[in-house]
Amino acid sequence: MASNKIQFRSIHELKDPALNNKLAQKEFQEEIPVEDFLGDAEQNGSSTSRRDFLKLLGFSTAAVTLAACEAPVIKTIPYVVKPHDIIPGVPNFYASTYFDGFDFASVLVKTREGRPIKIDPNPAAGDLGKTNARAQAAVLSLYDNDKVKQPKLDGKDETFDKVDDFVLKGLEEAKAAGKKIVLLSQSFASPTFKKLFADFKAKYPTAELVTFDAFPYSAGLDAAQEVFGQRALPVYDLKGSELVVSFQADFLGDYNAGSLETSFAEARKPGANMLRHIQVESNMSLTGANADSRYRLKPSAVNKTLVEVYNAIVGGGAASDKIASEIVKELQAKGSKAVVLADGSKGAQVLAHLINQKLGSVAFTGKANFLREFDKARYNEFLTWVNAGQVGVLITNNVDPIYSHPKGEDFKKSLTKVPYVIAVADKKNEMYKAAKAVIPVANWLESWGDMEPQTGVYTLMQPTIQKIYKSRQIEESLLVWKNGKNNAANNYYDYLKASSASILGATSFNKALYNGIVPSNNATTLSYAGGNAAQAIAELGNFKASDLELVLYTKTSMGDGTQANNPWLQELPDPITRMSWDNYLTISPKDAERLGIENDLNARMQLDGSIVNLTVNGVTIKDVPVFIQPGQADGSVGLALGYGKKNSGATADTGVNAYPLFDGSNLVVSNAKIEKTGEDHEFAGIQLQNTLMGRYEIAKEVPLAEYINVAFDDEHKGWNKPLEYHTISGALPAGKIDLWDAFDDTDGPHFNLSVDLNSCTGCGACIIACQAENNVPVVGKEEIRMSRDMYWLRIDRYYSAKEKIETKEGIERGLNVPNLYDILIEPNESPDVIFQPVMCQHCNHAPCETVCPVAATSHSKQGQNHMAYNRCIGTRYCANNCPYKVRRFNWFTYNLNDKFDFNQNNDLGRMVLNPDVVVRTRGVMEKCSMCIQKTQATILSAKKEGRKVTDNEFQESVACAAACSTGSMKFGDMNDKESEVRKLYSSNRRYYLLEEIGTKPNVFYHTKVRNRVEK
């Protein structure tokens, strides 16, 4: 039976069959000192637990003691003159464009009383409106307390007036001397920005716009220039494809400046034409984890395989390599319905384009992505200007080449040759230190702007809050420096409105602003026009194989490091490793054993790992922790970029900076060497906590052929047979047996949530959306390490074994579950992966409700399991009795507590809190509420308007489902016969998590289907 695979969470679970039991016993292992409970500094060193304290004093006495502690009084300030468009308690939504230099999305910004608190996808934008975890977290970056708050001149606070005087003086001097005035900016596909710079250049003819990106996509742009004749990344759409072959391309992550996960999920719907996904890679990437067939090869071998595939497809030869031969056969069979994607170097991408041209791939849309503009030759030319003393004024627009360029230190030294250095910056980073004048940059939520992200699309950006600090966007500064101070024409809103008229045509500016996205008259298309295959093959051949080869990548949570000071993102567990608060060198189990690298669980079930010094081509990165990663190709190691940012905030200085190893083009580097330091690193991971007690058939899967050809309920071969209980009356369906009397839940809505494992990619957007919507606190690395995360939603990552052992076979071989774990060692090296979101299952027969002594948790007719925080006394019986391990106990007060110095510990950071959801206090349980505040608001809104709630309104009422870009999560009313969740309920792939326990959840899952022939 296909779904009988054994799933394990980590290597440690395989090595120690009793691990699950140990973890279950140690789920809550740290007693809380009474001094923390009462705040009595004199009790230091006491080991008295809260339970002992209540036992000794009696609960009533303790309650009186606590009641005697006077709560702080926080006075509210009423509106003197209420804004006409703000009604207290009622949210406003504004369409805008999220762009921070790395990520893009057309979004809806939810505001309460004039402050943005939540980012949602813009439905009108389709694929361009989908939000990843970083976009969801971007609202917290607005309230970053570590920002530059004031203009600076020579390191001292100054007014904009004085700073502008300084800049204008420099501009005039540079103009008179014929020296260059350089604006060094991130890629910015804004037609109005470019028009404004052209106007600026008209006044200062020596002005030059130079682009610099920390993660520049240089290889992709160079390949596009060669193949298409235009420096723009191609846009792909997988909806019509039946085969995608990827060589190192993490196309569900940050590949080509835009994820393909939406069209990928659409094409992956189980059926005869379901998309098949083959991944050839070194690191275990998010994309590779979702592949049907994954070949793990070191980078030099990936290059060799790609060349063989190209020679066979385009050259008409035969591939000698077995893997290449299998891939070629499948590509030729699918023809135009196949597509090849590649990453790592220019040569790899050129060959992929030429293969797609030969196949006539329908996935190639011809549309151009304009979000990346970096030109390495142009940037190097700029460096020669600086070194030659030809630059009179340098203005950097929120970029920091000192941190993110391999020659950053050389650049820092050369800045002494530039008389006027002006940094438009948000943090006190290296550029901030090197500049003579600093202008705080306005956040995108405080700014006006426009974007042309791709062919035929135009989006607008609008401020959703007044500027929190004395900040200014670059466009406002250019207007002042172009027109002079106090000029009436210095209003960028007016400039933008006038500039956009030629693009909007008959569409009014206000209408476009309301929608956030409109068609553009930019009809740029890409077509195959060249490509030097021989040169590309030679380039790949020049990559010499070595003992260890390094692959650099961007993590799902951190990207290029733009939001490194965002604690939501730092704490977000990596989908693959399930580690947070770190980057690390990933290494295969075999290489780890060969090199003496260790990952060990200590007595507290916490993971510790070896620390090494990593040297590549003469550059050494010191003190890099090493994580042993199943699925990592032997002979390769991986390291994430974007970490180790100095002077960029309290949480940004986490991990190590890998940019000195990245030349801006090649993500794969040969000749990596590691040297153990003898020290150990303390990892903060959440994979081994909240265990489901060693049970299997948790995340079900089935091969496509079996899904199509075998009845799901077949008596012998059924892959999703309905659960039956064996009773004295014979076998009965699970739904017919009950310990309790059923009640009528057909009056009003009854909510269910559907989770499709086939389309869940593990991206984590739902986790951040839940955190933002429900005021889930950040607890920090130490508490994560103590297994005390506060997430209401987690995504379990399971490694599944390829060996299938039927129950009968296991009995014949005398195998119990620990024995099964022991024999499945091979998956350590190359496992399949399944992602499974788990939140409160909102059981109709909830185990938590039956054990709560004060009825703090109860059930509603709507199917939601409620928590009355005021009633909860923190016995934790409910957590112990929950088979899904989804309830969280507040060990501490996480807000306004210096022990947890994150966003909830300062007034600015607390502005992100949702006033519709209470901030929980210490000593109570909390968990997913199915966003009851939003479902009730939706129902009440429809009731006021005298209409029925639409299915789409309910879908958007839960944060996780609204944020899911693949449609994996669907929420709705089961009593609405036309609702999508009701239709999904009838699917033969539907099953419940731990259905045999009889909890009758209101969350159900769909079996994952793998499109491959099982061997």
Side-chain angles (χ1 to χ4, degrees):
M1 227 170 77
S3 58
N4 269 350
K5 288 185 178 180
I6 301 298
Q7 282 128 11
F8 57 95
R9 294 190 176 204
S10 69
I11 299 174
H12 311 287
E13 194 172 309
L14 278 176
K15 290 180 178 178
D16 184 0
L19 180 59
N20 281 323
N21 288 332
K22 293 178 185 176
L23 289 170
Q25 295 298 322
K26 290 178 174 287
E27 181 178 6
F28 302 112
Q29 54 189 313
E30 179 76 4
E31 298 287 4
I32 300 182
V34 72
E35 68 273 12
D36 283 347
F37 179 61
L38 290 178
D40 187 351
E42 296 179 2
Q43 297 278 346
N44 287 340
S46 171
S47 60
T48 308
S49 70
R50 180 181 187 226
R51 180 170 293 180
D52 292 337
F53 175 78
L54 294 178
K55 199 187 299 178
L56 291 170
L57 268 71
F59 178 75
S60 58
T61 309
V64 171
T65 304
L66 291 177
C69 300
E70 185 177 349
V73 176
I74 301 176
K75 296 182 179 180
T76 58
I77 302 174
Y79 289 119
V80 178
V81 178
K82 187 183 82 66
H84 72 278
D85 56 346
I86 293 179
I87 301 174
V90 178
N92 287 350
F93 292 85
Y94 299 91
S96 191
T97 298
Y98 162 60
F99 181 71
D100 63 359
F102 186 69
D103 290 297
F104 169 90
S106 178
V107 298
L108 298 180
V109 183
K110 178 183 178 181
T111 67
R112 280 294 301 268
E113 288 73 62
R115 56 188 175 87
I117 62 169
K118 183 73 172 61
I119 304 298
D120 286 318
N122 183 357
D127 289 0
L128 288 174
K130 304 303 182 182
T131 55
N132 59 19
R134 298 187 295 268
Q136 288 286 331
V139 67
L140 183 60
S141 293
L142 169 67
Y143 303 115
D144 188 344
N145 202 40
D146 293 320
K147 284 182 178 178
V148 180
K149 301 176 174 66
Q150 171 99 13
K152 305 277 184 177
L153 194 57
D154 292 325
K156 298 179 181 178
D157 289 349
E158 198 49 90
T159 62
F160 275 118
D161 189 61
K162 293 291 180 62
V163 171
D164 287 335
D165 284 340
F166 172 80
V167 177
L168 288 168
K169 178 173 177 288
L171 292 172
E172 291 300 328
E173 286 182 10
K175 182 180 178 180
K179 286 195 171 186
K180 293 186 181 296
I181 299 166
V182 178
L183 173 56
L184 186 66
S185 175
Q186 61 201 15
S187 292
F188 196 10
S190 166
T192 301
F193 169 73
K194 288 181 169 58
K195 179 180 182 298
L196 176 55
F197 183 80
D199 293 346
F200 179 79
K201 185 175 175 64
K203 179 169 184 179
Y204 301 103
T206 59
E208 300 283 353
L209 176 61
V210 179
T211 299
F212 174 80
D213 294 319
F215 193 82
Y217 295 87
S218 183
L221 290 166
D222 290 343
Q225 179 78 56
E226 181 178 313
V227 175
F228 307 117
Q230 297 186 62
R231 199 168 181 78
L233 299 171
V235 175
Y236 294 96
D237 187 338
L238 301 178
K239 291 188 181 74
S241 299
E242 295 181 11
L243 174 65
V244 55
V245 182
S246 168
F247 293 88
Q248 300 277 35
D250 189 12
F251 62 82
L252 298 181
D254 299 323
Y255 177 70
N256 257 22
S259 175
L260 298 178
E261 60 184 358
T262 303
S263 63
F264 175 78
E266 182 73 21
R268 294 275 294 171
K269 290 182 178 177
N273 298 322
M274 175 182 171
L275 176 72
R276 172 160 158 72
H277 172 200
I278 300 173
Q279 187 81 5
V280 186
E281 64 179 6
S282 305
N283 293 351
M284 173 70 89
S285 68
L286 186 68
T287 304
N290 284 278
D292 295 304
S293 298
R294 179 178 179 271
Y295 299 103
R296 57 187 195 98
L297 301 174
K298 63 195 300 186
S300 54
V302 173
N303 291 345
K304 182 175 180 294
T305 304
L306 176 57
V307 170
E308 290 217 19
V309 170
Y310 169 81
N311 287 334
I313 295 291
V314 181
S320 59
D321 179 76
K322 181 183 177 183
I323 294 174
S325 180
E326 291 176 359
I327 291 172
V328 167
K329 287 177 184 176
E330 294 201 45
L331 287 171
Q332 290 173 335
K334 291 297 182 182
S336 64
K337 292 189 176 181
V339 61
V340 174
L341 304 174
D343 202 1
S345 65
K346 175 190 171 184
Q349 299 206 36
V350 167
L351 292 187
H353 292 321
L354 296 178
I355 292 172
N356 291 332
Q357 181 184 17
K358 180 69 175 179
L359 294 172
S361 175
V362 297
F364 175 72
T365 64
K367 294 180 181 177
N369 180 316
F370 305 121
L371 291 173
R372 294 294 177 268
E373 303 169 309
F374 178 77
D375 187 332
K376 190 173 183 179
R378 169 93 168 148
Y379 182 75
N380 287 337
E381 184 184 16
F382 155 70
L383 293 180
T384 62
W385 298 339
V386 174
N387 289 323
Q390 297 173 3
V391 178
V393 178
L394 173 61
I395 304 163
T396 61
N397 180 32
N398 210 25
V399 295
D400 185 8
I402 301 174
Y403 157 74
S404 54
H405 191 272
K407 302 294 184 183
E409 287 301 316
D410 293 340
F411 176 69
K412 180 179 180 180
K413 293 173 184 175
S414 66
L415 286 179
T416 56
K417 300 177 182 179
V418 182
Y420 291 85
V421 179
I422 300 97
V424 180
D426 63 343
K427 299 291 191 315
K428 297 176 182 178
N429 54 26
E430 295 300 321
M431 274 310 307
Y432 168 95
K433 291 181 178 179
K436 295 184 178 179
V438 177
I439 296 174
V441 66
N443 186 273
W444 66 276
L445 286 163
E446 303 169 319
S447 303
W448 288 103
D450 62 355
M451 295 280 288
E452 274 188 331
Q454 69 179 39
T455 301
V457 176
Y458 181 69
T459 68
L460 286 171
M461 179 188 294
Q462 62 175 318
T464 55
I465 188 173
Q466 287 284 352
K467 288 172 184 171
I468 296 173
Y469 295 124
K470 296 178 180 178
S471 59
R472 199 165 71 181
Q473 62 188 102
I474 186 64
E475 295 93 336
E476 292 177 296
S477 294
L478 288 176
L479 282 173
V480 172
W481 301 334
K482 176 178 78 77
N483 300 323
K485 296 188 301 182
N486 304 318
N487 192 308
N490 288 348
N491 188 316
Y492 185 60
Y493 166 77
D494 292 337
Y495 190 93
L496 173 67
K497 190 173 181 179
S499 172
S500 65
S502 60
I503 299 173
L504 295 175
T507 305
S508 71
F509 182 79
N510 285 348
K511 180 68 174 176
L513 201 60
Y514 178 82
N515 292 330
I517 186 167
V518 293
S520 162
N521 52 17
N522 187 335
T524 301
T525 57
L526 302 180
S527 59
Y528 298 102
N532 190 332
Q535 181 179 314
I537 292 171
E539 178 192 330
L540 296 180
N542 289 334
F543 183 88
K544 301 300 181 184
S546 63
D547 180 50
L548 280 182
E549 298 165 11
L550 172 67
V551 181
L552 299 166
Y553 67 100
T554 55
K555 276 175 79 171
T556 303
S557 57
M558 199 49 53
D560 70 340
T562 298
Q563 294 192 75
N565 201 46
N566 189 316
W568 285 355
L569 293 175
Q570 287 284 7
E571 191 151 292
L572 177 66
D574 180 78
I576 308 299
T577 67
R578 305 292 285 135
M579 297 293 155
S580 62
W581 290 102
D582 270 317
N583 65 338
Y584 30 75
L585 200 68
T586 56
I587 193 170
S588 74
K590 187 176 290 184
D591 282 337
E593 184 178 1
R594 175 172 64 91
L595 298 170
I597 303 296
E598 296 178 348
N599 279 179
D600 291 314
L601 289 172
N602 64 20
R604 304 180 68 88
M605 302 298 159
Q606 298 163 333
L607 187 67
D608 298 325
S610 300
I611 296 177
V612 301
N613 294 330
L614 171 67
T615 301
V616 182
N617 297 328
V619 179
T620 298
I621 307 294
K622 291 188 175 182
D623 299 329
V624 185
V626 185
F627 181 84
I628 300 174
Q629 174 62 60
Q632 182 80 29
D634 297 334
S636 72
V637 289
L639 184 60
L641 299 162
Y643 284 81
K645 296 186 82 168
K646 306 292 182 184
N647 306 306
S648 293
T651 63
D653 189 9
T654 298
V656 297
N657 181 13
Y659 276 114
L661 306 177
F662 181 39
D663 65 1
S665 298
N666 299 296
L667 290 168
V668 291
V669 190
S670 191
N671 293 314
K673 293 179 175 59
I674 59 177
E675 177 190 7
K676 287 182 65 175
T677 65
E679 301 294 324
D680 285 338
H681 178 78
E682 296 183 346
F683 285 107
I686 72 171
Q687 184 62 30
L688 290 176
Q689 63 203 67
N690 307 315
T691 174
L692 291 185
M693 315 296 269
R695 297 179 176 98
Y696 53 96
E697 290 229 338
I698 298 297
K700 292 187 178 184
E701 60 177 297
V702 60
L704 179 62
E706 195 171 327
Y707 167 76
I708 294 174
N709 299 318
V710 179
F712 75 97
D713 56 355
D714 182 271
E715 184 178 353
H716 301 292
K717 297 184 178 180
W719 46 268
N720 192 26
K721 287 190 288 188
L723 179 67
E724 292 183 338
Y725 291 124
H726 296 282
T727 71
I728 57 173
S729 303
L732 292 176
K736 298 293 185 182
I737 298 176
D738 213 331
L739 293 176
W740 291 273
D741 292 332
F743 59 86
D744 180 19
D745 58 8
T746 59
D747 180 19
H750 186 86
F751 296 122
N752 268 208
L753 177 66
S754 167
V755 182
D756 192 343
L757 301 186
N758 210 56
S759 52
C760 175
T761 63
C763 71
C766 55
I767 296 176
I768 299 295
C770 173
Q771 187 164 24
E773 175 65 31
N774 295 297
N775 302 334
V776 175
V778 173
V779 300
K781 182 175 181 177
E782 183 179 343
E783 291 301 299
I784 290 285
R785 186 167 162 81
M786 294 290 292
S787 302
R788 291 177 181 162
D789 72 281
M790 293 302 298
Y791 287 122
W792 287 11
L793 162 65
R794 69 177 190 266
I795 301 179
D796 287 338
R797 182 267 297 124
Y798 289 101
Y799 296 137
S800 59
K802 290 183 179 178
E803 182 179 356
K804 294 182 290 185
I805 300 178
E806 304 288 349
T807 305
K808 181 181 178 182
E809 180 189 352
I811 294 172
E812 290 173 349
R813 292 168 59 177
L815 301 174
N816 54 26
V817 171
N819 293 144
L820 291 175
Y821 276 61
D822 284 340
I823 65 173
L824 296 175
I825 300 300
E826 179 62 24
N828 281 350
E829 297 183 354
S830 187
D832 289 334
V833 180
I834 302 180
F835 296 105
Q836 184 175 54
V838 180
M839 67 296 290
C840 175
Q841 303 291 290
H842 295 271
C843 309
N844 288 316
H845 294 163
C848 56
E849 296 172 14
T850 58
V851 296
C852 182
V854 292
T857 179
S858 59
H859 210 67
S860 75
K861 290 182 70 174
Q862 292 183 169
Q864 290 156 307
N865 177 269
H866 297 175
M867 272 299 304
Y869 300 127
N870 286 358
R871 181 173 287 176
C872 178
I873 60 172
T875 63
R876 294 177 279 151
Y877 296 161
C878 56
N880 292 335
N881 215 41
C882 174
Y884 307 102
K885 301 303 171 192
V886 290
R887 305 179 76 87
R888 300 288 176 266
F889 181 68
N890 279 270
W891 291 95
F892 301 95
T893 297
Y894 297 106
N895 61 298
L896 298 178
N897 185 342
D898 288 343
K899 290 183 179 179
F900 304 95
D901 194 13
F902 306 109
N903 62 293
Q904 291 191 20
N905 197 41
N906 61 81
D907 289 339
L908 181 64
R910 287 168 56 81
M911 285 179 70
V912 82
L913 296 178
N914 182 359
D916 293 332
V917 180
V918 67
V919 176
R920 284 75 62 187
T921 189
R922 180 182 176 181
V924 303
M925 300 299 303
E926 61 181 74
K927 51 94 204 174
C928 161
S929 68
M930 268 190 188
C931 292
I932 189 171
Q933 70 281 0
K934 295 187 74 176
T935 56
Q936 292 307 110
T938 301
I939 292 169
L940 290 174
S941 177
K943 186 176 181 180
K944 285 183 199 174
E945 297 170 14
R947 61 174 178 82
K948 181 181 176 182
V949 182
T950 66
D951 189 38
N952 191 55
E953 283 180 298
F954 276 140
Q955 165 70 11
E956 294 176 355
S957 291
V958 288
C960 56
C964 183
S965 58
T966 64
S968 173
M969 294 182 176
K970 297 293 183 183
F971 179 81
D973 178 12
M974 287 292 288
N975 291 333
D976 178 2
K977 295 181 180 178
E978 301 302 316
S979 68
E980 188 169 1
V981 75
R982 177 76 175 251
K983 295 171 184 174
L984 290 168
Y985 181 83
S986 63
S987 167
N988 57 13
R989 290 195 293 128
R990 175 195 39 95
Y991 74 97
Y992 289 106
L993 200 56
L994 302 180
E995 185 179 11
E996 64 273 17
I997 296 175
T999 55
K1000 297 188 182 299
N1002 283 314
V1003 177
F1004 56 88
Y1005 293 83
H1006 291 268
T1007 304
K1008 184 178 182 68
V1009 180
R1010 289 199 190 273
N1011 187 357
R1012 71 177 179 212
V1013 178
E1014 295 289 341
K1015 298 178 181 178

